[in-house]
Amino acid sequence: MNAPILDERELADALARERDAGRTIAFANGCFDVLHVGHIRYLQGAAKEADVLVVGVNGDESVCELKGAGRPVMGEAERAEIISAIRGVSYVTIFRERSPGRLIGELKPDVHCKGTDYTADSVPEAEVVRGVWRAGGDRWRSERPLDDGVLKRMKAEG
């Protein structure tokens, strides 16, 4: 069964229920326009970081802004549906901005997962993530790369 694709309000309600049940939340995101094995490894690795994995998929306009003319190759609904079928993904949502910063600020995941092409300082949404984990200070920790180095977990130390 595929993970549900929810709008932000539905997702917030679902995550409140997950938290009430004592589950931890991880968040990953991307354009996922030309899906490849690195995306699969990234998301399956991210799923190991918490009880629940939420994946934010960039909307069509933001993919065009980020990737250039002629992109996306595949529409946002199709990309979200493909992501929802990946083992380990619990929920999928589509966000419209270039960065998932606002969404992360609203959802407040326990873990923010990014691919190895990012560092704690180069993640566009770094300031928002630091704010979510304010109690842990501004120190970031990069955990061991998972699944052949495709995923880095970034979380403030407590």
Side-chain angles (χ1 to χ4, degrees):
M1 175 184 260
N2 292 359
I5 302 168
L6 304 177
D7 66 29
E8 292 179 25
R9 182 181 306 245
E10 294 169 324
L11 180 59
D13 291 344
L15 295 184
R17 290 189 297 275
E18 297 285 4
R19 285 189 176 99
D20 287 347
R23 295 184 186 99
T24 56
I25 312 296
F27 181 87
N29 67 280
C31 295
F32 306 109
D33 187 29
V34 180
L35 197 67
H36 55 78
V37 71
H39 290 128
I40 304 300
R41 291 174 180 161
Y42 160 52
L43 295 176
Q44 289 181 341
K48 296 175 185 177
E49 298 300 311
D51 301 314
V52 174
L53 174 60
V54 175
V55 180
V57 175
N58 286 75
D60 289 345
E61 288 183 26
S62 67
V63 173
C64 183
E65 291 174 16
L66 292 165
K67 302 289 186 179
R71 302 287 291 274
V73 173
M74 189 178 342
E76 62 193 36
E78 291 83 9
R79 290 182 285 116
E81 185 175 346
I82 290 170
I83 296 302
S84 77
I86 296 172
R87 180 175 28 92
V89 174
S90 306
Y91 299 98
V92 177
T93 195
I94 298 168
F95 64 96
R96 306 287 169 211
E97 302 86 359
R98 290 173 59 108
S99 164
R102 179 194 54 77
L103 183 59
I104 291 169
E106 290 179 14
L107 299 178
K108 296 180 177 42
D110 299 295
V111 181
H112 180 223
C113 302
K114 291 299 274 191
T116 56
D117 47 339
Y118 290 98
T119 67
D121 293 324
S122 71
V123 173
E125 59 274 14
E127 289 306 312
V128 174
V129 174
R130 285 184 181 104
V132 168
W133 292 315
R134 188 173 336 218
D138 287 334
R139 294 177 297 148
W140 288 62
R141 179 177 62 223
S142 293
E143 296 295 341
R144 70 204 181 283
L146 297 176
D147 293 334
D148 300 322
V150 175
L151 173 77
K152 283 186 182 178
R153 174 179 162 207
M154 294 176 288
K155 186 175 180 182
E157 292 182 356

